[in-house]
Amino acid sequence: MTQEVITIERHILEQERAHPEATGVFTSLLYDIALAAKIVARETRRAGLVEILGLAGRTNVQGEAQMKLDVFANETLIRINSYTGRVAVMASEEEEDIIRIPEGYPTGRYVLVFDPLDGSSNIDVNVSIGTIFGIYRRRTKEGPGTVEDCLQPGRNLVAAGYVIYGSSTMMVYTTGNGVHGFTLDPEVGEFLLSHPNIRLPEKPKYYSVNHGNEPYWTEGVRRFTRWLQGLDEESPRKPLSSRYIGSLVADFHRNLLAGGIFYYPADRKDPRKPHGKLRLLYEAIPLAFIVEHAGGYASDGTQPILDITPTSLHQRTPLFIGNRDLVEQAEAFIARYDQPST
Ligand code: AHG
Ligand code: MN
Ligand code: MN
């Protein structure tokens, strides 16, 4: 029996046909992101060969060391999307301010937010890294896009996705109509549909958290973790296995396919980061949109991530993401042990 080969371009087009109001612009925008992903994938594969490794000598807006490949991925996404007339404004984890469309070029209807290279501390140890993106419709009617166009809750997303640069390169995206995964055929240069309609398995396998931060955890997070390990009397019978890569995209992708929960809670490690480490706009919100469309759930410990309206571009949030029952259990432990009763 032969099997049909579906390229990402054809898939996006067919998804768009389901929306009669669509104009083709959206299809092209998603395809532009796939193109950027291919360029970053090519550069990632060469990372050990060319002198691209090491610190670029500056820090990003969060004061963290920035690797050269971050800069490259950031600039690639910006360059590809600045001149097409499809985007009104962009926001990137690596840019302090919003990214405006250059003077003289048309602005479009969409807003693109992204973490150009996630897991950058893993680049020079040859561990998987990724790109995360979200697409909104602009709120303002015309003219250059604004910061308000970027600060929208996840419920307003029209699409979200990620690319993982691992043992193979994969792009996973949703426009709200199923979550679909494509694997890059590096010889042909096309993303081909390999994982249609991804759903979280009902029986979760893994929990993923940085155990090195345990001394700084709250009581609720500590007890929730013991519950996952089967040490709490109300625990599910079989303890979950632990897996942690330290690249959100890779940890999320594994748990999406195998079932489980990833969490980066608020902790007491760094008083300047009372809400944990991850960014609401570029990391938590797009992955929350994907997980919900795969049958899962994402929370900041007290409320759905998708309900939060960001108030600043680089806002951080605690994140609990994966199988719904596990995330709700985390919320229950936090409500019971961490929230002052009123
Ligand atoms: P980024 O490389 O975009 O700054 O993100 C790094 C994040 C994320 O990928 C990962 O989940 C987390 O950092 C790991 O942090 P710890 O090393 O503190 O566990
Ligand atoms: Mn990141
Ligand atoms: Mn990053």
Side-chain angles (χ1 to χ4, degrees), residues 214-281:
E214 198 167 333
Y216 314 104
W217 286 350
T218 60
E219 185 63 13
V221 171
R222 215 168 278 153
R223 288 193 184 240
F224 170 60
T225 306
R226 284 176 62 79
W227 181 86
L228 292 168
Q229 293 167 327
L231 297 172
D232 184 286
E233 55 202 34
E234 288 163 32
S235 288
R237 258 170 313 157
K238 225 171 140 250
L240 295 183
S241 238
S242 152
R243 291 280 189 285
Y244 190 75
I245 297 168
S247 276
L248 176 61
V249 168
D251 280 305
F252 176 81
H253 181 71
R254 182 203 51 240
N255 289 5
L256 182 66
L257 297 183
I261 182 169
F262 170 96
Y263 49 113
Y264 207 112
D267 62 37
R268 287 185 279 267
K269 190 175 182 183
D270 183 345
R272 288 166 307 168
K273 297 178 188 169
H275 305 295
K277 181 179 182 187
L278 299 176
R279 295 78 170 175
L280 179 60
L281 194 55

Side-chain angles (χ1 to χ4, degrees), residues 25 28-29 32 79-87 101 105-106 108:
V25 173
S28 306
L29 172 54
D32 291 338
R79 259 185 292 143
I80 286 186
N81 291 292
S82 286
Y83 310 103
T84 58
R86 305 192 240 278
V87 174
I101 299 305
Y105 289 88

